[in-house]
Amino acid sequence: YCADVQDYDAVYKRMLTSLDEAFFGAPRKGVYSPSVQFTLFEMGKRAIASIAEVQTVTLTMPNIHFLPGGNDKLGLK
């Protein structure tokens, strides 16, 4: 945040909305993403461009290529 933030809660809500819109896109169309790095970059870029109070954005993702979970939850052994 920059030093001139008057309402952190309002900026936080706008930030979440901006990130959601960049990640999900339009409800019926979505957003094409060639990579997770591309998507994270676009999310941060959009937030900085659309919210004057935000000066930097840091987003991280784990470097895993699967959804963690046990086979037992799927009824498999």
Side-chain angles (χ1 to χ4, degrees):
Y1 294 111
C2 68
D4 298 331
V5 176
Q6 301 297 316
D7 184 350
Y8 283 96
D9 289 335
V11 173
Y12 179 77
K13 287 179 185 175
R14 290 186 359 242
M15 180 69 153
L16 289 181
T17 298
S18 175
L19 294 175
D20 282 352
E21 289 173 353
F23 184 82
F24 295 110
R28 294 189 182 265
K29 185 176 179 185
V31 174
Y32 170 73
S33 173
S35 69
V36 69
Q37 295 86 354
F38 175 84
T39 300
L40 293 175
F41 179 78
E42 291 298 313
M43 291 168 69
K45 186 170 77 171
R46 182 178 181 140
I48 291 170
S50 64
I51 305 169
E53 296 90 345
V54 174
Q55 295 178 334
T56 62
V57 174
T58 302
L59 299 168
T60 58
M61 290 282 289
N63 190 22
I64 59 173
H65 301 277
F66 63 91
L67 298 175
N71 287 338
D72 55 328
K73 293 180 182 179
L74 300 173
L76 304 172
K77 292 185 181 189

